[in-house]
């Protein structure tokens, strides 16, 4: 289980990482192991619809048990499968880096983080920084 | 315009108010003037679906330009109207206290806060405490 | 956490209870703590759409943290609120008995069971029988 | 017509097949000839969103009267057609192996099974094992 304090640490560290690196403003969400919302923040200056992208990245990851990189590999190999998955989950998936599984010390998936705003790879790097700062492990 | 720092202050103060008062765990959202997500936090121990209720309270408020108390009065007088509004906005409204308009010093609506978890009246009180702590004015 | 074996026990005992009592054919679902599907069975002879009702009873219970009886009391007192909640959750709620919270020995909500097919009170009784047979506690 | 006992046999045998083979945890659904839910089970350790994928595999099969392999061939030849089908059925299709038509002794389609969790081919093999154990014929 992720505490709210951990979720807020993840988000604040991820957004601060983007500022330090000079990236575009980031937005970040943390979902629990059941795909439900725990916390979200949209960086100042980010586009208004960034919540939906951040959540979709995290939602697809936790629902399928696959990080964004694995989803992107599957989309490259079999685009129609990931397109169908998007329909299956009501449009709430986004198969690119930035959706990151969160694991506890035992390796169990306890949620997912979704970051959006800069390049997908930078989004994933920001998520991993946030997850590490909360003492947990991320699978991008 | 609400900054992320203000939005996080509103949310953290609202949740802390609930803890101080011994209320059930609260969840709180801040939407901007366009009804889009700025920040959210679900208090530890809150039911998993509280995000949806918090957002609907805030969304209905900002989209209609009516706080939750005014919406509830309308629902008491004309339930079918607020039921239609719920359909009109895709289910994203909740006509009870806890959805609070946020105004700046000039009186302009710059967003809305939605709080859920305890009684509707306590939810609204927590939202007002959060909005005041951010130096803004709330209309419950 | 509910195991699949426990979920199947709950469902089989609930459906058998209906047969023993001579009730109409029951259908039953078990959701986890995040509102996601674990197991379902539709009794022979039940109407084809019973899955949706069973799941909605369980989904509203776990998402709100309220059993069906508490939801029904709220609907009796403030019908427009539970109507709005139905919209908020995309139509996936049903505020009558038969949606039952499942708690572990520590009192934590670990999921919900939804039963439908006979009277709402009998549906709830079948759910409670199933939950007890799995060694857990139900809150109807 | 598929009895609940047959549906539960199919599901339990399919999930046991995955355990015997050392595959990732499987989830399996049985739909009737009208595309409506009869039974479902999510294997312990499976990702929380596996129900939606299992149901979509089965739903597309029974609604179109095409097994997952035939759907995949069509997607390989004409991806935009299967993408349109996904939209037509509200996102509830998945054109890969693991969606299997169920036929009775006369050859009539009496439902469909959907299995997900391991590779698509292994998913289909598990479904066929389950359907055979219930004395019926599968078309993958």
């Amino acid at each position: 289980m992720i505490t709210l304090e951990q979720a807020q640490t993840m988000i604040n560290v991820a957004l601060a990482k983007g500022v330090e690196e000079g990236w575009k403003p980031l937005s970040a969400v943390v979902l629990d192991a059941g795909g439900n919302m725990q916390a979200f923040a949209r960086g100042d200056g980010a586009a208004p619809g960034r919540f939906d992208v951040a959540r979709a990245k995290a939602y697809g990851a936790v629902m399928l048990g696959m990080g964004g990189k694995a989803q992107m590999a599957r989309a490259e190999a079999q685009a129609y499968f990931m397109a169908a998955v998007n329909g299956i989950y009501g449009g709430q998936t986004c198969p690119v880096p930035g959706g990151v599984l969160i694991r506890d010390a035992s390796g169990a998936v306890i949620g997912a983080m979704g970051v959006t705003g800069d390049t997908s790879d930078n989004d994933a790097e920001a998520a991993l920084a946030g997850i590490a700062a909360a003492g947990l492990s991320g699978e991008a």
Side-chain angles (χ1 to χ4, degrees), chain A:
Chain A
M1 185 180 297
I2 299 167
T3 65
L4 175 57
E5 189 180 347
Q6 286 178 306
Q8 289 180 323
T9 295
M10 289 184 222
I11 288 172
N12 289 336
V13 169
L15 266 60
K17 169 81 175 169
V19 172
E20 287 161 26
E21 299 282 354
W23 296 338
K24 291 182 195 165
L26 300 180
S27 300
V29 71
V30 174
L31 302 183
D32 66 20
N36 294 301
M37 289 284 297
Q38 281 201 268
F40 171 74
R42 190 175 95 211
D44 291 324
R50 287 288 167 179
F51 165 70
D52 303 284
V53 179
R55 182 162 70 161
K57 285 186 174 186
Y59 190 76
V62 75
M63 283 293 113
L64 292 166
M66 294 170 66
K69 292 185 182 184
Q71 289 180 61
M72 187 168 72
R74 184 72 183 264
E76 296 283 355
Q78 202 177 20
Y80 58 82
F81 175 75
M82 292 309 296
V85 164
N86 187 264
I88 288 167
Y89 291 116
Q92 298 301 302
T93 64
C94 188
V96 296
V100 180
L101 292 172
I102 303 169
R103 294 186 190 275
D104 65 15
S106 76
V109 174
I110 56 173
M113 187 168 193
V115 175
T116 184
D118 202 77
T119 67
S120 296
D121 284 338
N122 287 346
D123 294 343
E125 194 176 326
L128 289 171
I131 294 167
L136 297 165
S137 300
E139 177 184 329

